[in-house]
Amino acid sequence: MQRSITMKDVARAAGVSVMTVSRAFQKDTSVRPETRDTILKVAEDLGYVFDSTAANLRSQRTDFVAVTIPSINNANFADTVAGLSEVLSNEGLQVLLAYTNYDMAQEERAIEQLLRRRPEAIVVTGGKHTVRARRLLEGAGIPVIEAWDLPANPIGHVVGFSNAATMEVMVNHLAAQGHERIAFIGGDVVADTRGADRRRGFMAAMKAHGLSCDRLIEAGPPPISMREGAQAMERLLALHPDTQAVVCVSDLSAFGALTECQRRGLRVPQDMVITGFGAYEIASICVPTLTTVNPFPRKIGEEIADLIVNTIKKPTEQQIRKIAPELVVAGSTEKVSEMRNR
Amino acid sequence: MQRSITMKDVARAAGVSVMTVSRAFQKDTSVRPETRDTILKVAEDLGYVFDSTAANLRSQRTDFVAVTIPSINNANFADTVAGLSEVLSNEGLQVLLAYTNYDMAQEERAIEQLLRRRPEAIVVTGGKHTVRARRLLEGAGIPVIEAWDLPANPIGHVVGFSNAATMEVMVNHLAAQGHERIAFIGGDVVADTRGADRRRGFMAAMKAHGLSCDRLIEAGPPPISMREGAQAMERLLALHPDTQAVVCVSDLSAFGALTECQRRGLRVPQDMVITGFGAYEIASICVPTLTTVNPFPRKIGEEIADLIVNTIKKPTEQQIRKIAPELVVAGSTEKVSEMRNR
DNA sequence: TTGAAAGCGCTAACAC
DNA sequence: GTGTTAGCGCTTTCAA
């Protein structure tokens, strides 16, 4: 079965020119309403399906927005993509997604593949790229948006927040509660750039409080899973049994750490205080609930979409849209006296 | 900044014809190695990026594989897409993803949009579609794969399992442990077709055991979140306080139900037995671990990819690839005597 | 191994 | 509101 019905066939069957069929399939074009109705009906009867590939070439518009994310299997990035897709689809734009697997070399390849499809704009996660990837983005001739970060030297637009600065808020929160022996559970420092930023921010904040920051547990290459969080907690307790609080790079590892405490009969927050990052659903539902940071992933996606829609309509100056993550204090760091109903 | 460097420019700069440049960018074509190297170098220096849109039109190949999933934010579907993408990208095929939000009308729109891009194959989640969506798929002239289900009347190929039959295994497991007052927590029966199948399977299995199946809690429209699972558990305990076990439509709702028990001081499994579905990571890490069913989401994706790659190379007869989900018995249904180390 | 001519299925641009 | 002409940037096809 070969697809061979083209506009020409529809035009012939409807008794009009190809151009009129073309117009009938577009919005805001001047076609007599009855003519359009006839054409669309004829097209449907013939089983005609509009061919975007031809339209793309001729009009030099694809209505694609290219996006790279480290992993599809991460609720935070998924939320960003969901917010992005939803807004863009209202504008007739379609997301073209590629995964980098937390690997800059793979990101470079993904970016090149995506640019070949001639997207209207490209969104990349993070602000660190290979030299060639950066050159590709700079020369792409389309809006470039770096997300989930605040790069020191942005390529184009930015929608994100400082992963390092956000950790300061968390350390301040714990220090204010009187905790001093605070550990950090994170991922491989090389691959997970946002995780590395958080760790750096953690260390800076600890130093600012005059606290020692030698309780750093590496939980392996990103993405850090719940299980790896649990294993990291195990290692932490072996190395530093007197730890009072642990800051985890994400809610998933934090939840893993929490379960390890539960298995050992360590009470959270009485015996161990735990914090996460990301405001994943689990943080708000597990027992106790997890203190975390909400970076508003969906809002990031919606802001990016808004930026793209506006920029495509009317090219704009470079925009840096900062998202203000919010500390969510919950059961895992609450003073016990306040814990009646948890 | 306009992208205007074409193959013509590269050809001129390299002193060859456009056709030779075209060949240099393809694999397995006869170009003198040195010529190819020169061309690629010249292209890179000029900042040329291959234009797929033109190639697609002329060659009538896009190397797209279209996929619809209910939601991007679901680890099971994400795993399927990850497995699919990974295998396909090795073959130079790129996934073009669209979300249906558990809505058949939206699925129809997504399918139409995707087909306009002229994909090499299309994968849809589930076996229920609008009449028009089905007609579009049947007339698409490309391989169609229905996944995550075993439709009674498949459109083309199938990679999936029976959601209903799988629940039988779960009910058998609980019945074998002597439980009789077993409830079901699921989603809106209309929208979540796989959830509805599971519920139907649950009811059939209960009847087969001579057990009453009037403990059915509807937790709202899909996707059912952890919170909705917790709320459903709350309602269940209000309506049927003597319930012994509860079968949840997914691990997320099961975990929510578990936390509700924890908040109430109900011990799992001693006071309440809980099961989930999906073998999400959380099921294997929470305390107690959750008895669930592993439908091997990643394997589904890999099988689909394998099917597509083979079918594109050499058109094949309709294939029904059944996946055998596996019961994973864990702490939430284990006899207490066996629970020493949980 | 390389090149020349033709054209994929649409739409921009212009005419009426 | 509708039609005609040309051509988007590649690859198919055929020839050398």
Side-chain angles (χ1 to χ4, degrees):
Chain A
M1 176 172 222
Q2 73 282 31
R3 152 161 327 288
S4 49
I5 302 158
T6 72
M7 267 192 186
K8 220 160 142 185
D9 302 311
V10 177
R12 194 176 307 125
V16 294
S17 74
V18 188
M19 197 54 228
T20 303
V21 178
S22 172
R23 290 197 181 97
F25 272 90
Q26 296 174 59
K27 290 183 174 166
D28 315 321
T29 45
S30 45
V31 186
R32 227 177 69 223
E34 304 109 73
T35 312
R36 170 174 273 133
D37 291 347
T38 313
I39 291 171
L40 294 181
K41 173 147 192 351
V42 168
E44 186 76 20
D45 289 347
L46 289 178
Y48 170 71
V49 176
F50 183 90
D51 188 336
S52 295
T53 65
N56 293 343
L57 176 58
R58 174 66 247 222
S59 66
Q60 297 292 79
R61 297 201 61 216
T62 59
D63 292 334
F64 274 135
V65 169
V67 180
T68 70
I69 53 174
S71 154
I72 189 185
N73 204 336
N74 174 305
N76 274 182
F77 297 134
D79 278 342
T80 293
V81 173
L84 185 60
S85 300
E86 214 161 275
V87 178
L88 290 180
S89 71
N90 293 333
E91 303 285 330
L93 293 167
Q94 182 166 10
V95 167
L96 189 56
L97 204 56
Y99 317 112
T100 66
N101 201 26
Y102 296 89
D103 175 358
M104 291 206 320
Q106 204 170 322
E107 187 198 45
E108 180 188 312
R109 265 174 274 133
I111 288 171
E112 180 164 24
Q113 288 306 311
L114 291 170
L115 290 178
R116 288 178 166 211
R117 302 279 188 186
R118 293 293 186 268
E120 312 295 334
I122 182 162
V123 181
V124 295
T125 306
K128 280 196 73 182
H129 319 283
T130 65
V131 173
R132 182 153 176 276
R134 191 179 172 104
R135 192 170 55 231
L136 284 168
L137 293 171
E138 285 168 344
I142 52 173
V144 174
I145 297 96
E146 290 170 287
W148 274 89
D149 205 347
L150 290 184
N153 185 17
I155 298 171
H157 308 290
V158 173
V159 179
F161 59 91
S162 164
N163 283 276
T166 306
M167 295 318 285
E168 204 181 306
V169 181
M170 192 59 95
V171 172
N172 290 349
H173 169 62
L174 294 177
Q177 295 199 340
H179 301 300
E180 297 186 337
R181 297 187 297 281
I182 309 174
F184 182 84
I185 287 178
D188 186 87
V189 180
V190 181
D192 185 3
T193 57
R194 278 162 302 288
D197 286 345
R198 287 176 206 159
R199 181 172 132 148
R200 196 163 28 250
F202 168 80
M203 293 173 75
M206 288 292 280
K207 277 186 192 127
H209 281 278
L211 299 173
S212 130
C213 48
D214 54 354
R215 294 158 197 258
L216 302 173
I217 307 292
E218 276 201 24
I224 311 301
S225 63
M226 295 177 179
R227 183 163 308 284
E228 286 163 326
Q231 289 162 350
M233 185 54 135
E234 207 174 346
R235 239 174 316 140
L236 173 62
L237 290 171
L239 291 169
H240 308 284
D242 63 342
T243 300
Q244 297 171 314
V246 53
V247 173
C248 298
V249 74
S250 78
D251 286 348
L252 305 185
S253 44
F255 178 72
L258 170 63
T259 63
E260 184 59 26
C261 291
Q262 292 175 339
R263 277 185 289 272
R264 289 165 175 257
L266 272 176
R267 294 165 307 162
V268 176
Q270 294 92 330
D271 306 326
M272 178 67 72
V273 157
I274 298 178
T275 71
F277 193 104
Y280 290 70
E281 189 189 17
I282 195 168
S284 69
I285 194 89
C286 62
V287 181
T289 50
L290 287 172
T291 290
T292 185
V293 170
N294 189 351
F296 302 107
R298 196 183 174 86
K299 185 177 162 60
I300 292 178
E302 290 168 349
E303 283 288 329
I304 297 170
D306 181 69
L307 183 62
I308 290 173
V309 170
N310 288 326
T311 310
I312 287 179
K313 282 183 187 152
K314 186 165 68 72
T316 338
E317 290 293 289
Q318 178 186 66
Q319 289 192 32
I320 310 291
R321 298 203 187 177
K322 291 188 191 171
I323 302 289
E326 202 173 272
L327 179 69
V328 183
V329 176
S332 67
T333 67
E334 243 164 273
K335 294 217 183 68
V336 179
S337 60
E338 299 165 0
M339 278 196 58
R340 279 287 149 257
N341 295 321
R342 298 277 163 180
Chain B
M1 175 170 224
Q2 72 281 30
R3 153 160 327 286
S4 49
I5 302 159
T6 71
M7 265 193 189
K8 222 161 143 183
D9 303 311
V10 177
R12 195 175 307 125
V16 293
S17 74
V18 189
M19 198 52 232
T20 303
V21 178
S22 172
R23 290 196 181 98
F25 273 89
Q26 297 174 57
K27 289 182 176 169
D28 316 320
T29 45
S30 47
V31 187
R32 228 178 67 223
E34 305 108 74
T35 312
R36 169 172 276 135
D37 292 347
T38 313
I39 290 171
L40 294 180
K41 171 145 194 356
V42 168
E44 186 76 21
D45 290 348
L46 289 177
Y48 170 72
V49 176
F50 183 90
D51 188 336
S52 294
T53 65
N56 293 344
L57 176 58
R58 176 64 248 222
S59 66
Q60 298 291 81
R61 295 201 62 215
T62 59
D63 292 333
F64 274 136
V65 169
V67 179
T68 71
I69 54 174
S71 155
I72 190 186
N73 205 337
N74 175 304
N76 274 183
F77 297 134
D79 278 342
T80 292
V81 173
L84 184 59
S85 300
E86 213 161 276
V87 178
L88 290 181
S89 71
N90 293 335
E91 303 285 329
L93 294 165
Q94 181 165 12
V95 167
L96 189 56
L97 205 55
Y99 316 112
T100 66
N101 202 24
Y102 297 89
D103 175 357
M104 292 208 318
Q106 203 169 322
E107 187 198 47
E108 179 187 311
R109 264 175 275 133
I111 288 171
E112 181 164 23
Q113 287 305 311
L114 291 170
L115 290 179
R116 288 178 166 211
R117 302 278 188 185
R118 295 292 186 269
E120 312 296 332
I122 182 164
V123 181
V124 295
T125 306
K128 280 196 74 182
H129 319 283
T130 66
V131 173
R132 181 153 176 278
R134 191 179 172 101
R135 193 171 52 231
L136 283 168
L137 293 171
E138 285 169 345
I142 53 173
V144 174
I145 298 96
E146 289 169 289
W148 275 88
D149 205 348
L150 289 183
N153 185 17
I155 297 171
H157 309 289
V158 174
V159 179
F161 59 91
S162 164
N163 283 276
T166 306
M167 295 317 285
E168 205 182 305
V169 181
M170 193 57 95
V171 172
N172 289 350
H173 169 62
L174 295 176
Q177 295 200 338
H179 302 299
E180 297 188 335
R181 297 187 296 280
I182 309 174
F184 183 85
I185 288 178
D188 186 87
V189 180
V190 181
D192 184 4
T193 56
R194 277 162 302 288
D197 286 345
R198 287 176 205 159
R199 180 172 134 149
R200 194 161 34 248
F202 168 81
M203 293 173 75
M206 288 293 280
K207 275 185 195 127
H209 281 279
L211 299 173
S212 131
C213 49
D214 53 356
R215 295 159 196 256
L216 302 173
I217 308 292
E218 276 201 25
I224 310 303
S225 63
M226 295 177 180
R227 183 163 309 285
E228 287 164 325
Q231 289 162 350
M233 185 53 138
E234 207 173 346
R235 241 177 311 141
L236 172 62
L237 291 171
L239 291 168
H240 308 284
D242 63 342
T243 300
Q244 298 171 313
V246 51
V247 172
C248 300
V249 73
S250 77
D251 286 348
L252 305 185
S253 45
F255 178 72
L258 170 63
T259 63
E260 184 59 26
C261 292
Q262 292 176 339
R263 277 185 290 271
R264 290 164 175 258
L266 272 177
R267 293 165 306 163
V268 175
Q270 294 91 330
D271 306 326
M272 178 67 72
V273 157
I274 298 178
T275 71
F277 194 105
Y280 290 69
E281 189 190 16
I282 195 169
S284 70
I285 194 87
C286 63
V287 181
T289 50
L290 287 172
T291 289
T292 185
V293 170
N294 189 349
F296 302 107
R298 195 183 176 86
K299 187 177 160 62
I300 292 178
E302 290 167 349
E303 284 286 329
I304 296 169
D306 181 70
L307 183 61
I308 290 173
V309 170
N310 288 326
T311 311
I312 287 178
K313 281 184 189 153
K314 187 167 68 73
T316 338
E317 290 292 289
Q318 179 186 66
Q319 288 192 33
I320 310 291
R321 296 203 187 177
K322 291 187 189 169
I323 302 289
E326 202 174 272
L327 179 69
V328 182
V329 177
S332 67
T333 66
E334 242 164 272
K335 293 216 184 70
V336 179
S337 59
E338 300 166 0
M339 277 198 57
R340 280 287 150 254
N341 295 321
R342 298 277 165 184

